[in-house]
Each structure stands twice: as structure tokens, then as C-alpha cells.
């Protein structure tokens, strides 16, 4: 890295930019946020549809799905909840979470209504919310390495294997 390239991440970290800390690019962060908003919409509509029934488990799953929608909107799009006083505080706290923590939280939130009532409405209603968790989980894995690094690692492993092989052949010859 050259000197200017080293200064940019340091300046971003000092300014408190969250993308420097978790390694997410701006477009991937927005993709995750848009998936969260779409997941909130799908949970809200499917949850409302689920509540129009006489089966108590469907009603419980529908209420849980609407709660999921509210939490997704609160964490990913606090501007949708601008009349709720604590919306910005919750969103700021959610932004401080690591991507794997968001992934576990969103996937867990989306699985619970499906376990309560396995219907197409709960399955499809929670699919986008679960996909949001998967997107955050993928970002927690980090960036993919470049081909040159993998080639070096492969070559080093190959050399070690050859050394082990020649060591065992020399031991057999004695």
C-alpha cells in the first residue's frame, strides 16, 4: 500500500465511519438495509394476513411477524419510525452490532414464526427477513482473498507435502 492509501482507512476510522470497522462496502451496506426494509414490508403484510384466521397459532405467528417488521424498520430504516422517540437510539445501537450478531438476530427472528405455524404465508413472509440475516452473515465472513495469495498458500502447502514425502522416503531407504 502506498502512503495515501494507508491514510484513508485511518482517517475513516478516526471519523467514526462504521464501514471501516466491519469491512462492508457502502453498496453492500445499502443492499442489506434495503433487504431489511423489504423484509419488514413482507413480514408486516404476511403477518396481517396471518392474523385473519381463527387458528390461535396462526394469530400468534402473525403478531410475531408484525413485531419482526417493526424491529426491522426500527433497526434498518429509523426514518420510517420518525414519530417514535427512541427510534434513533435503537438504530444507533443496532449499527454498533457486528454483522454476525445482526445475522443471528434477524435469522432467529424470522425462524420463530415459521416454527409456530408452518404455512406458506409465514414461510414466504419471513423469507426476505431471513435473507437479510443471511446477507449480514455473508458480510461477517469477510472479503474473498485474491488469486495470488491463494496461489502462494497452495505452493507452500505443496512444498511442505513434498518435504514430508522426501523425509519419509529417506527414512525408508535407511
Amino acid at each position: 500500500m502506498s502512503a495515501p492509501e494507508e491514510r484513508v482507512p485511518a482517517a475513516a476510522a478516526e471519523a467514526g465511519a462504521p464501514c471501516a470497522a466491519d469491512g462492508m462496502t457502502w453498496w453492500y451496506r445499502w443492499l442489506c438495509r434495503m433487504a431489511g426494509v423489504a423484509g419488514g414490508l413482507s413480514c408486516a403484510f404476511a403477518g396481517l394476513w396471518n392474523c385473519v384466521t381463527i387458528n390461535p397459532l396462526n394469530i400468534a405467528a402473525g403478531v410475531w411477524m408484525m413485531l419482526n417488521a417493526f424491529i426491522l424498520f426500527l433497526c434498518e430504516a429509523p426514518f420510517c419510525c420518525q414519530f417514535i422517540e427512541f427510534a434513533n437510539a435503537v438504530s444507533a445501537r443496532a449499527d454498533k452490532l457486528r454483522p454476525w450478531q445482526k445475522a443471528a438476530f434477524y435469522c432467529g427472528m424470522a425462524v420463530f414464526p415459521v416454527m409456530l405455524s408452518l404455512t406458506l404465508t409465514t414461510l414466504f413472509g419471513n423469507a426476505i427477513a431471513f435473507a437479510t440475516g443471511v446477507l449480514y452473515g455473508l458480510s461477517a465472513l469477510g472479503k474473498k482473498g485474491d488469486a495470488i495469495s491463494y496461489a502462494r498458500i497452495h505452493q507452500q502447502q505443496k512444498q511442505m507435502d513434498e518435504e514430508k514425502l522426501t523425509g519419509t522416503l529417506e527414512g525408508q531407504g535407511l
Side-chain angles (χ1 to χ4, degrees):
M1 269 186 158
S2 67
E5 290 175 356
E6 291 174 350
R7 288 187 202 131
V8 172
E14 288 173 5
C19 61
D22 59 11
M24 289 174 61
T25 59
W26 66 269
W27 60 268
Y28 195 79
R29 181 178 310 281
W30 278 99
L31 176 70
C32 291
R33 288 205 182 256
M34 290 302 130
V37 171
L41 286 172
S42 71
C43 277
F45 288 126
L48 186 63
W49 183 258
N50 229 12
C51 286
V52 183
T53 184
I54 57 171
N55 188 355
L57 285 178
N58 282 352
I59 294 171
V63 169
W64 189 270
M65 287 171 66
M66 288 191 285
L67 179 67
N68 286 351
F70 176 70
I71 291 171
L72 279 168
F73 284 140
L74 204 59
C75 293
E76 298 296 327
F79 60 86
C80 293
C81 308
Q82 62 183 338
F83 297 111
I84 299 174
E85 293 178 12
F86 59 89
N88 289 331
V90 171
S91 177
R93 184 163 173 98
D95 284 341
K96 291 179 184 176
L97 292 175
R98 294 186 177 124
W100 70 266
Q101 292 169 329
K102 280 186 177 183
F105 183 64
Y106 290 160
C107 288
M109 265 186 358
V111 166
F112 188 72
V114 175
M115 290 187 335
L116 274 178
S117 170
L118 183 61
T119 62
L120 286 177
T121 308
T122 56
L123 200 60
F124 289 138
N126 286 303
I128 301 175
F130 189 83
T132 303
V134 169
L135 285 173
Y136 276 111
L138 288 174
S139 72
L141 292 176
K143 288 176 108 178
K144 181 180 170 186
D146 59 342
I148 297 170
S149 299
Y150 284 123
R152 280 190 204 133
I153 292 171
H154 180 66
Q155 185 177 5
Q156 288 174 353
Q157 287 176 346
K158 193 174 178 182
Q159 286 176 351
M160 289 174 43
D161 289 343
E162 287 175 2
E163 289 174 3
K164 286 179 185 177
L165 185 62
T166 56
T168 57
L169 289 178
E170 288 176 0
Q172 290 176 355
L174 292 175

